[in-house]
Amino acid sequence: MTQRETTTVAVVGAGLMGCGIASTFAAAGFEVLLHDSAPDFKHRAERSCADIFAERVAAGQWTQTQADTALARIRMVDMVADLAGAAFVVEAIFEALDAKRALYTRLEPACPNPL
């Protein structure tokens, strides 16, 4: 899969791992939809993603403009149904088989044709 084939990806789970994955995709130029079931995930995830890019700026790897551009590619979404436009979905929720099964049951109708 190349970036030309897929411009929007989704990450489900906005913890440390999910934010790291979302930031990596955004840094590579992809639009990212980030979802978590926790009610306060938006503020926490925005801060975590911003911190990841701030570290790159502080290390001299990126300019602030590059960091701001990558961060702007990450959009927080409230519902699994909002992931419908993604061509690729990464699951990054906590390690509980029942929770993962429940998530995939909700993802299947929302994203019927993922890559």
Side-chain angles (χ1 to χ4, degrees):
M1 169 182 14
T2 67
Q3 185 177 347
R4 289 187 187 110
E5 294 168 344
T6 305
T7 57
T8 302
V9 298
V11 178
V12 180
L16 184 59
M17 176 84 61
C19 286
I21 294 167
S23 297
T24 299
F25 274 118
F30 291 91
E31 298 298 320
V32 180
L33 303 174
L34 183 58
H35 169 74
D36 197 293
S37 61
D40 67 337
F41 92 93
K42 284 184 180 179
H43 176 71
R44 183 191 56 198
E46 287 171 348
R47 182 78 256 147
S48 293
C49 292
D51 288 347
I52 290 168
F53 294 127
E55 288 174 10
R56 289 184 178 195
V57 172
Q61 298 169 336
W62 277 18
T63 66
Q64 187 61 52
T65 300
Q66 288 172 305
D68 293 343
T69 300
L71 187 59
R73 291 187 188 113
I74 301 173
R75 183 166 55 102
M76 311 298 167
V77 297
D78 292 322
M79 298 171 34
V80 169
D82 296 332
L83 305 176
F88 188 81
V89 179
V90 177
E91 174 268 307
I93 68 171
F94 58 95
E95 296 302 316
L97 189 54
D98 289 342
K100 290 178 183 286
R101 284 183 178 145
L103 172 62
Y104 281 102
T105 298
R106 292 186 355 237
L107 274 173
E108 190 171 11
C111 304
N113 299 313
L115 295 176

